[in-house]
């Protein structure tokens, strides 16, 4: 199962006018990070970064001047995501911007059934909250001390850890049926050559010596011979 934990940073809050300026994503396969990531800064054209947004992520108009517009990186983004599940915290916000950008260049939207919102998951799991990414990091003991500003790739890395904890932690993700890093093509999709990990029990090269002494075994047999009607236990023992 292939999933992409992702985040975006934008020029503001209104996806009808504001634009995506950064996207970062972490690939998971069977709930384990594969090491494949995407991280792209995007030129928003004439749309300037709102001061409130700048205070959150620190990405300036000057920094974005030489970056490619969304139309030139859309194929790279969609190829990386492939047919994976799109997973984000407050996914309604991120997908609103993703689909608005796709619409501007004449591409179809990402359908809701391909999207998973970890904020909704967290609200169901922890109805008393708080359920911000920082709060969930504290709840699950995930170090986010280096998060002084929002950043799409950093937030994706933190969210990947939070997501794995919310679905049951590392033990829930420990599958014996398939490895996460082998038998995949360049996009991380499973192929027919996936390695299968089979759990097996090792046998001792020679059996352990019995702990009963010969006299104890003989005493036990004598006792069994006297038990039950017409030595029924002795008859049972002879069948085995």
């Amino acid at each position: 199962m292939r999933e992409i934990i992702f985040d975006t940073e934008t020029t503001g809050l209104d996806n009808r006018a504001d634009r995506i300026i950064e996207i970062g994503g972490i690939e998971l396969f069977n709930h384990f990070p594969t090491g494949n990531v995407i991280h792209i800064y995007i030129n928003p054209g004439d749309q300037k970064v709102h001061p409130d947004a700048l205070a959150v992520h620190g990405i300036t108009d000057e920094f974005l001047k030489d970056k490619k517009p969304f139309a030139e990186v859309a194929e790279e983004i969609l190829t990386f995501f492939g047919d994976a599940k799109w997973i984000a915290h407050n996914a309604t916000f991120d997908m609103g911007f993703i689909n608005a950008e796709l619409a501007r260049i004449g591409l179809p939207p990402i359908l809701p059934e391909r999207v998973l919102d970890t904020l909704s998951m967290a609200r169901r799991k922890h109805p008393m909250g708080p359920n911000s990414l920082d709060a969930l990091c504290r709840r699950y003991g995930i170090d986010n001390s280096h998060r002084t500003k929002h950043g799409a790739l950093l937030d994706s890395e933190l969210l990947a850890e939070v997501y794995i904890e919310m679905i049951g932690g590392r033990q829930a993700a420990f599958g014996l049926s398939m490895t996460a890093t082998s038998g995949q093509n360049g996009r991380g999709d499973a192929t027919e050559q996936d390695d299968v990990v089979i759990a097996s029990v090792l046998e001792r090269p020679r059996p352990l010596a019995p702990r009963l002494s010969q006299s104890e075994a003989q005493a036990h047999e004598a006792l069994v011979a006297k038990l039950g009607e017409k030595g029924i236990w002795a008859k049972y023992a002879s069948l085995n």
Side-chain angles (χ1 to χ4, degrees), residues 112-156:
E113 53 265 32
R114 294 190 56 198
V115 180
L116 188 152
D117 185 1
T118 54
L119 179 58
S120 296
M121 286 180 61
R123 285 171 174 167
R124 291 192 300 270
K125 192 173 181 66
H126 310 296
M128 301 303 291
N131 289 307
S132 68
L133 182 56
D134 284 334
L136 291 169
C137 285
R138 290 192 296 271
R139 180 184 291 275
Y140 291 114
I142 296 166
D143 182 14
N144 66 338
S145 58
H146 50 308
R147 189 188 188 231
T148 56
K149 292 276 188 184
H150 286 235
L153 186 59
L154 172 59
D155 287 1
S156 297

